[in-house]
Amino acid sequence: MKQRINLYNPHKSKKKFELLSLQGSVTVALAVIAVVLLCGLGLNWYASEQESTFAKLQQDKVKIDEAVATEQARFSNLQVQPEILAEQQRLKDEIAARKALQSLLHKVQPAQSVNFSSYLYALADASLTESWLSQFVLDNNNRSFTLGGGAVDGPSVASMIESIASTEEFQGMNVNTLTVNAEGSGVRFDALAELRSYE
């Protein structure tokens, strides 16, 4: 004979979760504390990441500032100095004067005699970097030589006249008048010389 035994006690009291009970309050408090801790850890991690990013940006900014300063210093060294510009202009003037003299040499006609062209070549050989001729008149009949030009300073004019007088064609010439006037960053001169007579 089979018999069933019911072990369930219908009269046993059931425990319900009471929010206002001590156990319920402790559970809620623990849950709130856990959420707050998680939020705090998350905010702390985010703040650390932001600080790390900010520190990297600061390092990058320092490197960029150093690179900009280096480039600015390099470009400031490339600026042309006034002395270089003045020297460049002087060289241009000298080249222009020599080209004018060269052009004059090419224009010499055979009828002007070999002697005249030799005077021109002598002037070209006697030219100096500190002075230049811009015009001259050579009169073999009257043995006169008028010249005008420019130089960086007064002594350079004397050096040029001495250089001309040292050539074979102008050797023995006598300078009768010489005027030197300041002009721009140099001087302007005019001279009248008497050539030696050939017997």
Side-chain angles (χ1 to χ4, degrees), residues 130-150:
E130 297 83 8
S131 56
W132 54 92
L133 284 178
S134 57
Q135 61 183 9
F136 67 90
V137 177
L138 184 62
D139 187 351
N140 276 332
N141 295 329
N142 296 320
R143 296 185 296 113
S144 66
F145 177 44
T146 305
L147 63 157

Side-chain angles (χ1 to χ4, degrees), residues 80-92:
V80 180
Q81 302 298 326
E83 298 82 8
I84 297 177
L85 292 176
E87 180 65 14
Q88 183 182 26
Q89 185 60 42
R90 187 189 70 76
L91 291 175
K92 285 182 178 179

Side-chain angles (χ1 to χ4, degrees), residues 7 10 18 61 67 70 92 110 130 146 155 177 193 195:
L7 299 177
E18 296 290 339
K61 180 180 180 300
T70 302
K92 285 182 178 179
E130 297 83 8
T146 305
T177 60
L195 300 176

